[in-house]
Amino acid sequence: MTVSDYIKDFLSRFGEVLESDVADICGIANLGADDEYCPNEHMNRIEYGIAKIGARINGNATSISESGFSKSWKEDSFRSFYASLCKKYGLKDELSNKPKLTFF
């Protein structure tokens, strides 16, 4: 399985996966899309790439309906996954609705 195939398969549970998203994740992770996927070596780098562009991925389609066939994904599940990645990698959660407190 290639890195690109893995990213598409992994993210498909959250909604539509765009080629540009896969390319950006690969670029951030410093991996080639056609590289052979190795979980021990690539998972953290791919997760970091997903976290870096997660706010954009969340804007992808969450449901599709065509000729009597429909499929939908839970947006909240991606938000939870994205929030956990942001926490893990120390990034700002761009999708959080939690109020921000600033102390002076």
Side-chain angles (χ1 to χ4, degrees):
M1 172 183 279
T2 66
V3 169
S4 176
D5 291 338
Y6 176 79
I7 293 169
K8 289 176 191 174
D9 184 56
F10 184 81
L11 290 178
S12 67
R13 71 186 81 186
F14 300 117
E16 181 184 17
V17 181
L18 303 177
E19 287 294 327
S20 60
D21 293 339
V22 173
D24 289 346
I25 292 167
C26 287
I28 292 167
N30 200 25
L31 295 169
D34 295 326
D35 291 351
E36 190 66 25
Y37 174 68
C38 179
N40 295 335
E41 296 177 22
H42 299 147
M43 190 63 213
N44 287 337
R45 291 161 56 183
I46 291 171
E47 284 181 346
Y48 181 76
I50 293 169
K52 289 292 281 185
I53 68 165
R56 186 177 76 206
I57 291 174
N58 187 64
N60 293 351
T62 56
S63 65
I64 295 174
S65 180
E66 184 177 320
S67 302
F69 171 80
S70 66
K71 184 170 183 174
S72 62
W73 303 269
K74 292 185 178 180
E75 188 176 351
D76 290 340
S77 63
F78 180 78
R79 285 178 184 254
S80 296
F81 173 68
Y82 171 74
S84 70
L85 290 182
C86 288
K87 185 175 181 178
K88 180 177 180 178
Y89 295 106
L91 301 171
K92 181 181 177 189
D93 183 349
E94 300 289 336
L95 301 176
S96 176
N97 292 330
K98 295 178 184 174
K100 307 282 190 252
L101 295 175
T102 305
F103 296 96
F104 296 101

